[in-house]
Amino acid sequence: MKTIAIAGTFDSKGAEFLYVKSVIESLGSHTFTIHSGVFEPAFTPDVSNTEVAGAAGFDIHDIAAKKDRAEGTEALARGMEKLIPKLYAEGKFDGILSFGGTGGTSIVTAGMRALPIGVPKLMVSTVASGNTEPYVGTSDIIMFPSIVDVAGLNSFSTKIFTNAAHAMAGMVQFESEPPRDKKPLIAATMFGVTTPCVTYAREYLEEQGYEVLVFHATGTGGKTMESLVEGGFIDGVLDLTTTEWCDELVGGVLAAGPHRLEAAGRCKVPQVVSTGALDMVNFGPYDSVPEAFKGRNLYKHNPSVTLMRTTVEENRKLGEIIAGKLNQAQGQTVLMLPLKGVSMLDVTGEPFEGAEEDSALFETLRQQINPDVVQLIEMDTDINDQAFALAAAKRLIELIKQKESQASAN
């Protein structure tokens, strides 16, 4: 029989959580209750707020006396982040469910994010239809809109609560069987304009016995890939689409943050990197492009996405950034340059064709890459040429095998 953890503010929402507890137990699952509120709970939980706060070095009585909502939320979130993965590792629960507003969502999702990928985690929240990135991060938390506030039992809330409980019960009950033959995992980055390249490479790698996880380079995709590399899940990185750095540098909407391109090098994971889609910065609909950029080379990719060609100076800066990141690598690293174009739009006759821009990028990389750390390979093709894709895939396999041989020798 599976156990579902129910976490939340049992002081302000006791009746609601007791209702959810009864639904889950009626479905044949055990419950494990965790109180993440500041004050005394409406019922006795399995894990008290004293334990939650204490996990992060705070005293719940001091927090309650101060009545400082911001401090209380931060302390309990940090406690959940420490305690939840520990309780899961001890086998206390198989999945975790919570309900809340902004405060409750912030507290419990901090603990959910600390759980391994694949552990069922469902957050019913008043903010589920807005920007969920601060709550979900790079995890696989399911955000379930509460429709009405989590305040009272009524015809709407009880239906939503019941649906969520059934969803969680289903997730813990019907688990997928892990594959019997675990294949080495490759992480690859892709954008629409580098799809042919990554598809050729993925198909070849799969033929050679590797499993390929493709990440859409939309900011979240790059962050997620980096977090999985940090977590030790990935055996090799085929980072052919580094376009997220354009948005980070220029101010587009798909930035992955200042630490993109660091994890593989720091964790000594073999990596083959390229300059995919460094010709473009991403914005939303055409009217959303900042006024300062309205005179630039803009391309309507679709009604929701507008692309902007990067300039010569921006490409120089991108070259400096990428060289700086790769020069820090502690493992096998290869940088491949497609001299005839970095995307579908950066080839002869296409809107972002830019020999001068590409030359600035490539020349900067040639000058600043440390050859003692990074092997530089140049090919007289565009990035989506099958020959370029296969060369990248084959080189990555060589790096992985070199690492395996070194490990065996030691």
Side-chain angles (χ1 to χ4, degrees), residues 93-345:
F93 61 88
D94 302 288
I96 182 168
L97 172 65
S98 185
F99 301 76
T102 54
T105 301
S106 296
I107 291 168
V108 180
T109 55
M112 289 179 172
R113 289 194 301 272
L115 289 169
I117 298 292
V119 178
K121 0 177 151 53
L122 195 159
M123 183 75 222
V124 180
S125 175
T126 59
V127 293
S129 63
N131 175 19
T132 61
E133 196 277 335
Y135 309 109
V136 176
T138 58
S139 75
D140 58 342
I141 297 170
I142 299 170
M143 295 287 286
F144 197 117
S146 64
I147 306 301
V148 295
D149 200 355
V150 185
L153 299 172
N154 53 63
S155 58
F156 276 86
S157 66
T158 53
K159 181 60 176 175
I160 297 298
F161 297 168
T162 300
N163 284 347
H166 280 246
M168 177 55 68
M171 283 190 284
V172 298
Q173 187 64 36
F174 300 103
E175 294 181 287
S176 61
E177 289 294 324
R180 293 183 179 180
D181 299 321
K182 186 179 183 300
K183 298 178 181 179
L185 280 179
I186 304 295
T189 50
M190 187 172 80
F191 223 37
V193 293
T194 61
T195 295
C197 174
V198 179
T199 299
Y200 288 134
R202 175 182 58 77
E203 291 174 348
Y204 179 80
L205 288 163
E206 290 172 347
E207 288 171 1
Q208 304 305 307
Y210 294 86
E211 182 178 352
V212 182
L213 308 179
V214 178
F215 296 88
H216 199 188
T218 56
T220 299
K223 290 179 184 177
T224 301
M225 183 188 75
E226 301 265 333
S227 70
L228 289 176
V229 172
E230 290 275 5
F233 296 99
I234 305 300
D235 298 288
V237 174
L238 193 67
D239 202 350
L240 300 181
T241 310
T242 47
T243 185
E244 288 153 319
W245 263 111
C246 297
D247 291 62
E248 181 70 22
L249 173 67
V250 181
V253 297
L254 300 182
H259 300 296
R260 180 74 173 84
L261 272 176
E262 293 181 3
R266 182 169 55 250
C267 298
K268 302 180 181 179
V269 175
Q271 61 178 332
V272 172
V273 180
S274 190
T275 53
L278 288 181
D279 56 330
M280 59 189 62
V281 181
N282 293 266
F283 296 103
Y286 189 84
D287 291 342
S288 73
V289 177
E291 193 63 34
F293 297 138
K294 287 296 175 68
R296 296 274 295 268
N297 182 0
L298 301 175
Y299 178 78
K300 292 183 180 180
H301 185 63
N302 61 47
S304 301
V305 176
T306 305
L307 309 176
M308 180 177 75
R309 200 358 167 149
T310 49
T311 65
V312 169
E313 183 56 32
E314 287 164 357
N315 275 277
R316 287 198 186 98
K317 290 179 180 177
L318 288 167
E320 292 171 0
I321 291 167
I322 290 170
K325 296 294 182 182
L326 297 185
N327 286 343
Q328 299 174 34
Q330 299 177 44
Q332 299 104 318
T333 299
V334 170
L335 174 64
M336 295 185 62
L337 305 183
L339 300 181
K340 288 189 175 179
V342 301
S343 85
M344 284 182 182
L345 297 181

Side-chain angles (χ1 to χ4, degrees), residues 4-15:
I4 296 171
I6 303 173
T9 52
F10 300 163
D11 46 1
S12 60
K13 296 173 172 53

Side-chain angles (χ1 to χ4, degrees), residues 22-100:
S22 68
V23 173
I24 289 174
E25 290 172 350
S26 73
L27 297 172
S29 294
H30 291 303
T31 57
F32 182 74
T33 54
I34 304 166
H35 178 34
S36 60
V38 171
F39 303 106
E40 289 299 311
F43 60 92
T44 303
D46 294 301
V47 177
S48 69
N49 56 356
T50 300
E51 295 172 81
V52 173
F58 293 92
D59 186 314
I60 194 64
H61 301 293
D62 290 343
I63 294 170
K66 290 180 181 178
K67 296 183 180 180
D68 185 326
R69 181 179 174 84
E71 182 180 342
T73 299
E74 180 183 357
L76 289 161
R78 287 169 61 183
M80 291 291 278
E81 185 179 15
K82 297 282 187 183
L83 190 59
I84 292 298
K86 179 176 179 291
L87 293 171
Y88 176 75
E90 293 171 355
K92 299 294 187 182
F93 61 88
D94 302 288
I96 182 168
L97 172 65
S98 185
F99 301 76

